[in-house]
């Protein structure tokens, strides 16, 4: 497959880059700093001109995985009385508007049997006391998934709701909180980035050829 991955420099993104390359796929990475894909473009997802230039250059693709995300420990830990409307807009801009920009730029490149996959999060379904702007933005991505599945059909569009995956956000919280995250899962542990990447890869691949408009929950049983 020839696939485009946004957030290719991130924890889950780089795991997917490695996994896909190991399986013989050609990977086009997009992030502001990534270097690990077969070809790397340093675009901001809010820079529509940059995205359009990349889309023009790379040609037809079999898959698009949107794994970028706004990441800030300070914002994640803000209590409700400290949160402002701008905090919501900041996350929404990167996660939702940025995702829309990427899909819009690459829509002409998507082959008829191709697949688009978004990364969302279990707090979008069950809520959380942390990272409320993140949960809200991820909820919007679930809606975007369903609408785009209808609009872009027969191109498949799905999303994965991850529970806690061991990437850089674990540095934002102390060990007590981290063990609470582990305990909330039935498997009593965080997912590895590789396990998260496997779920995305399945949805990108022809193995999931009759799955579209769906939300796959990969959370070690956390949301039960
Ligand atoms: N880890 C988890 O537990 C978890 C759980 C649920 C959902 N998710 C979601 O899964 C996705 C990946 O998570 P992760 O933990 O791998 O995140 P991460 O390690 O923080 O990586 C985030 C990626 O987004 C890119 N990025 C951020 N802002 C960007 C912008 N304006 N333009 C272009 N690229 C941008 C970063 O690259 P540059 O800085 O190089 O631009 C980086 O590659 C995110 O959407 C996250 O919200 C993660």
């Amino acid at each position: 497959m020839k696939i485009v991955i946004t957030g290719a420099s991130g924890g889950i993104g780089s795991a997917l880059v490695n996994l896909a390359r190991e399986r013989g796929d050609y990977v086009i990475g997009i992030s502001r700093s990534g270097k690990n894909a077969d070809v790397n473009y340093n675009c901001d997802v809010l820079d529509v001109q940059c995205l359009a230039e990349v889309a023009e250059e790379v040609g037809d693709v079999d898959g698009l995985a949107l794994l970028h995300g706004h990441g800030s420990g300070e914002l994640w830990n803000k209590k409700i009385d400290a949160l402002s409307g701008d905090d919501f807009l900041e996350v929404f801009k990167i996660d939702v508007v940025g995702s829309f920009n990427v899909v819009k730029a690459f829509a002409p490149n998507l082959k008829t049997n191709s697949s688009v996959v978004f990364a969302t999060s279990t707090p979008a379904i069950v809520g959380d006391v942390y990272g409320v702007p993140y949960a809200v933005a991820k909820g919007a991505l679930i809606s975007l998934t369903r609408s785009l599945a209808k609009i872009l059909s027969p191109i498949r569009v799905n999303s994965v709701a991850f529970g806690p995956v061991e990437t850089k956000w674990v540095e934002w919280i102390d060990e007590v909180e981290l063990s609470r995250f582990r305990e909330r899962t039935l498997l009593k542990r965080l997912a590895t980035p590789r396990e998260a990447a496997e779920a995305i890869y399945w949805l990108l691949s022809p193995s999931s050829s009759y799955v579209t408009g769906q939300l796959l929950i990969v959370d070690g049983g956390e949301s039960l």
Side-chain angles (χ1 to χ4, degrees):
M1 294 190 292
K2 180 175 169 189
I3 56 182
V4 174
I5 302 175
T6 69
S9 63
I12 301 172
S14 50
L16 182 63
V17 169
N18 294 339
L19 186 151
R21 294 187 74 204
E22 278 166 36
R23 292 179 184 168
D25 300 308
Y26 182 77
V27 181
I28 297 141
I30 297 180
S31 63
R32 292 165 302 175
S33 65
K35 296 183 173 61
N36 49 349
D38 290 292
V39 57
N40 300 281
Y41 292 97
N42 294 148
C43 277
D44 191 303
V45 291
L46 298 179
D47 184 346
V48 291
Q49 183 59 35
C50 186
L51 294 171
E53 283 167 17
V54 176
E56 170 90 35
E57 206 169 302
V58 302
D60 286 356
V61 297
D62 303 291
L64 173 60
L66 295 99
L67 303 182
H68 65 272
H70 183 282
S72 150
E74 194 193 328
L75 207 156
W76 170 267
N77 283 311
K78 265 193 190 177
K79 301 271 181 283
I80 195 81
D81 52 356
L83 279 170
S84 68
D86 285 344
D87 293 328
F88 282 83
L89 291 177
E90 196 182 312
V91 181
F92 202 87
K93 221 166 48 180
I94 305 297
D95 283 39
V96 184
V97 178
S99 295
F100 171 74
N101 289 344
V102 173
V103 173
K104 191 172 174 190
F106 285 93
N109 304 55
L110 292 166
K111 294 185 189 166
T112 49
N113 61 349
S114 64
S115 167
V116 178
V117 184
F118 293 99
T120 174
S121 181
T122 46
I125 314 161
V126 297
D128 205 342
V129 295
Y130 295 98
V132 178
Y134 293 103
V136 171
K138 295 303 189 191
L141 282 184
I142 297 171
S143 301
L144 186 64
T145 298
R146 293 179 178 148
S147 295
L148 288 176
K150 292 186 173 182
I151 293 164
L152 297 177
S153 166
I155 293 161
R156 298 183 301 113
V157 185
N158 292 286
S159 47
V160 181
F162 292 116
V165 184
E166 197 153 1
T167 62
K168 73 171 187 200
W169 71 275
V170 300
E171 293 160 17
W172 302 343
I173 53 180
D174 62 33
E175 188 45 47
V176 177
E177 282 301 329
L178 202 52
S179 67
R180 281 198 197 123
F181 275 101
R182 285 193 202 98
E183 283 308 308
R184 279 188 347 205
T185 71
L186 297 183
L187 301 181
K188 306 297 177 204
R189 65 177 180 84
L190 274 54
T192 64
R194 177 87 177 192
E195 288 174 310
E198 286 281 8
I200 302 267
Y201 191 86
W202 179 70
L203 285 169
L204 286 174
S205 76
S207 303
S208 60
S209 54
Y210 203 57
V211 181
T212 193
Q214 302 305 307
L215 174 66
L216 173 64
I217 300 176
V218 177
D219 70 345
E222 181 199 29
S223 57
L224 278 187

